Amino acid sequence: MKKFAMWAAVIGCLTAVAGCAPTIAVEPAAHADDAACGLVLARTPQTMDGHPQRQTTAQATTAWGDAGAAIALRCGVEQPGPSADCVSITYGDVTVDWIAQETTTGWRFTTYGRTPAVEVAVPSSLGLTQPGLTDLTDALASTIVTAHCT
């Protein structure tokens, strides 16, 4: 019985510590209710560029890192149009096209030619110009390809 009490205390402490992990504030995308976003989110990695995945405040979103300095993913954003900033990234046998845009706060990468569209925002404070976008290949395999970079 003492062993049970000890393990219950350890599990309780771990649960309390895990419950203290920060929740990252992320705005939901316009089409966050797209059912395919659930598949995308279910397949996102537990870490990205060494940052642990965190809980977020909005549907069809996830984040990696700490509040104020987190990589944030939003599923269901508006489809971007063709752009000279389109880059193709191949990992294994899957190619994902991304529109890369520098913003005032860092970088924004939006899938091009995929439904639903997915956006990844990377704050400049992390010093990354291209996060581990290949880590999202499995998650994005569930989206429908409608176009490619030209």
Side-chain angles (χ1 to χ4, degrees):
M1 198 59 150
K2 285 183 182 183
K3 277 188 178 182
F4 175 76
M6 179 185 74
W7 283 111
V10 168
I11 291 170
C13 287
L14 291 175
T15 302
V17 170
C20 293
T23 299
I24 308 298
V26 180
E27 291 294 319
H31 307 287
D33 59 351
D34 187 317
C37 285
L39 293 173
V40 170
L41 272 286
R43 294 179 174 176
T44 56
Q46 296 295 308
T47 60
M48 181 176 281
D49 286 316
H51 301 284
Q53 190 171 30
R54 302 291 188 198
Q55 189 171 13
T56 56
T57 58
Q59 176 181 351
T61 65
T62 193
W64 298 267
D66 297 316
I71 298 167
L73 179 146
R74 298 186 320 142
C75 184
V77 297
E78 293 294 332
Q79 292 285 340
S83 170
D85 297 322
C86 194
V87 294
S88 297
I89 298 177
T90 301
Y91 185 73
D93 60 350
V94 177
T95 298
V96 178
D97 295 337
W98 296 91
I99 305 283
Q101 298 172 305
E102 190 168 11
T103 68
T104 58
T105 58
W107 286 88
R108 179 177 48 240
F109 300 90
T110 307
T111 56
Y112 174 73
R114 288 194 174 257
T115 302
V118 172
E119 173 189 276
V120 178
V122 183
S124 56
S125 62
L126 293 180
L128 303 170
T129 55
Q130 183 176 327
L133 297 176
T134 56
D135 294 344
L136 297 172
T137 302
D138 185 48
L140 296 173
S142 62
T143 61
I144 298 168
V145 178
T146 60
H148 293 285
C149 290
T150 54

